[in-house]
Amino acid sequence: MKARLTCVAASALSLALTVISIRYFADFWLLAFVNSFQLHIAVLAAIASLLCLIPLRSRIFIVLLAWAFALSAHALFMHQEFVTSAYAPQSAKAFRLLSFNVLMENSRNAESIADTIIALNADVAYVMEAAALTSVLPRLSKTYPYRIGCGEGTQSCDLLMLSKRPLENARIGTLSYVSRERFGMAMIDFDGVPLTLAAAHLAKPYFDEYHRNELSRIQSTISSVQGPLILGGDFNSASIAPDMRDFLLATDLKKAQWEPATWPIDAGPFGIAIDHIFARKPATLMKLERLPDNHGSNHYGLVADFAIAAPLNRSNRLVGIEKTARLPRPEFGIKPATVHQLHVGALLHDAPRIHDDQPI
């Protein structure tokens, strides 16, 4: 009986640890979402190995315990990669951003979500699955008179960018057939500093290679952006997933020192962070917090505080808005325009569709 229990327990633990170890040999998209849970699975496997070791006293559980410990340690190390220094010059100015996937079918909580957005006093808000808020858009427009999405430059109402300041060169594009009109970029004049804002809502990581391809298209789009850059949204994957790590390494974006869990709701603080806010200097992410209430969504929202400094040129002189106001020419399905120049239908009629094997 003891031998049979040892065999069953050891086989189950070995299988679990093997699944989260495959990433070190191959990036297999079918296991992409499992990679986001590496720390959780490894810690549970370590605890289970220890519990099995005590009564069953088999050396196989010592091996499994060491294996699980190594995977846990590396997961913790990966969580601390690409973190912000949280240091900015004294001349930097405070900026606040809200990012929240409100759930498309969550219209019954539209009023409470609008209350929260307004009360947080963010300079800019990113809203994913924003169709739930169509009834409160007139109310939100009183606080955020500038927007892109939900009829402004789009045919759909998924990605929505709200701003208290004019959005310049604002546009929304399609990352793939799965993520239509789910990537937006704009620039604001933040007290003389050109600040580039980007928002994204990516496909699920287990939808073939879509997730990695979409990250690659975002990377190619923001790679030539000069000056401070902030990217946020629903990435549907933890930052320790292989394609997310490759993306952060290639773009030099920084994340919070510890990202709060945003999904699943029932797991509370023991879930994983699949919603992110990243920044590239001279935009410095100083603090990231999770909203205390999910307001009926299946995600928790995030609010981030930044310190925005003016970029320096090669002679270490501050660069003004007039020298860096241009954003890179977008190639992901629409032509550059201000938010006031975008019209419903222009995205599909004025530019070619994107195929999955094409870069943005």
Side-chain angles (χ1 to χ4, degrees), residues 6 10 13 28 45 80 86 119 125 145 150 196 225 234 245 251 286 291 305 315 322:
T6 299
L13 290 171
F28 186 34
Q80 292 304 305
C150 292
T196 302
V225 170
D234 177 5
R245 293 179 70 224
T251 57
M286 306 299 290
L291 299 185
D305 290 303
S315 60
E322 70 281 355

Side-chain angles (χ1 to χ4, degrees), residues 23-345:
R23 63 175 297 163
Y24 297 101
F25 305 96
D27 185 11
F28 186 34
W29 63 265
L30 196 58
L31 299 178
F33 195 59
V34 177
N35 292 328
S36 295
F37 286 95
Q38 176 170 331
L39 180 60
H40 298 68
I41 296 173
V43 169
L44 290 175
I47 294 172
S49 298
L50 186 60
L51 293 176
C52 290
L53 177 62
I54 295 172
L56 299 177
R57 298 188 179 279
S58 173
R59 282 178 289 186
I60 186 62
F61 294 112
I62 298 177
V63 175
L64 291 171
L65 180 61
W67 187 2
F69 180 80
L71 290 173
S72 299
H74 188 239
L76 288 171
F77 170 78
M78 290 189 292
H79 275 293
Q80 292 304 305
E81 285 186 300
F82 314 112
V83 299
T84 176
S85 64
Y87 172 79
Q90 292 183 348
S91 59
K93 299 179 180 180
F95 177 85
R96 172 168 282 193
L97 175 75
L98 167 70
S99 179
F100 193 7
N101 183 332
V102 299
L103 185 63
M104 191 171 296
E105 301 83 13
N106 193 26
S107 57
R108 66 181 181 277
N109 290 300
E111 289 293 341
S112 65
I113 294 172
D115 290 341
T116 298
I117 293 174
I118 294 171
L120 285 170
N121 196 32
D123 296 279
V124 173
Y126 297 165
V127 183
M128 281 62 67
E129 302 193 26
L133 302 187
T134 52
S135 63
V136 295
L137 284 179
R139 180 184 167 200
L140 288 171
S141 66
K142 295 178 181 179
T143 304
Y144 297 95
Y146 306 98
R147 84 168 196 257
I148 181 71
C150 292
E152 288 291 337
T154 63
Q155 292 180 324
S156 63
C157 190
D158 187 305
L159 184 67
L160 174 66
M161 186 184 295
L162 302 169
S163 176
K164 293 180 178 179
R165 300 168 186 255
L167 294 170
E168 302 179 24
N169 207 15
R171 66 261 197 214
I172 284 184
T174 291
L175 293 170
S176 69
Y177 289 120
V178 177
S179 301
R180 292 184 178 277
E181 297 185 334
R182 283 187 168 189
F183 179 68
M185 284 185 70
M187 191 199 70
I188 63 171
D189 177 357
F190 189 63
D191 297 335
V193 177
L195 174 59
T196 302
L197 303 168
H201 186 186
L202 273 69
K204 304 292 191 298
Y206 44 82
F207 285 178
D208 205 337
E209 295 286 347
Y210 281 104
H211 194 269
R212 177 175 285 277
N213 292 342
E214 290 179 8
L215 285 174
S216 178
R217 288 162 185 162
I218 294 174
Q219 176 188 329
S220 66
T221 303
I222 68 175
S223 60
S224 57
V225 170
Q226 302 295 318
L229 166 68
I230 296 174
L231 170 66
D234 177 5
F235 288 75
N236 275 310
S237 188
S239 59
I240 66 171
D243 59 350
M244 291 290 291
R245 293 179 70 224
D246 292 343
F247 173 75
L248 292 174
L249 178 64
T251 57
D252 197 30
L253 290 164
K254 303 301 179 184
K255 62 179 184 177
Q257 294 184 0
W258 189 259
E259 296 181 291
T262 59
W263 182 91
I265 293 299
D266 293 338
F270 299 104
I272 59 173
I274 64 173
D275 301 86
H276 306 281
I277 297 178
F278 305 124
R280 189 164 69 199
K281 284 185 177 295
T284 303
L285 178 57
M286 306 299 290
K287 183 173 67 174
L288 179 67
E289 294 180 334
R290 188 180 77 176
L291 299 185
D293 193 336
N294 65 310
H295 297 284
S297 175
N298 59 343
H299 292 244
Y300 280 103
L302 297 171
V303 60
D305 290 303
F306 298 87
I308 309 297
L312 299 174
N313 61 17
R314 293 183 179 179
S315 60
N316 289 332
R317 295 180 179 179
L318 294 179
V319 179
I321 185 77
E322 70 281 355
K323 294 186 178 181
T324 58
R326 290 176 178 263
L327 288 176
R329 179 179 179 84
E331 299 177 0
F332 52 89
I334 56 179
K335 298 178 179 179
T338 65
V339 69
H340 303 294
Q341 295 173 327
L342 289 171
H343 299 285
V344 176

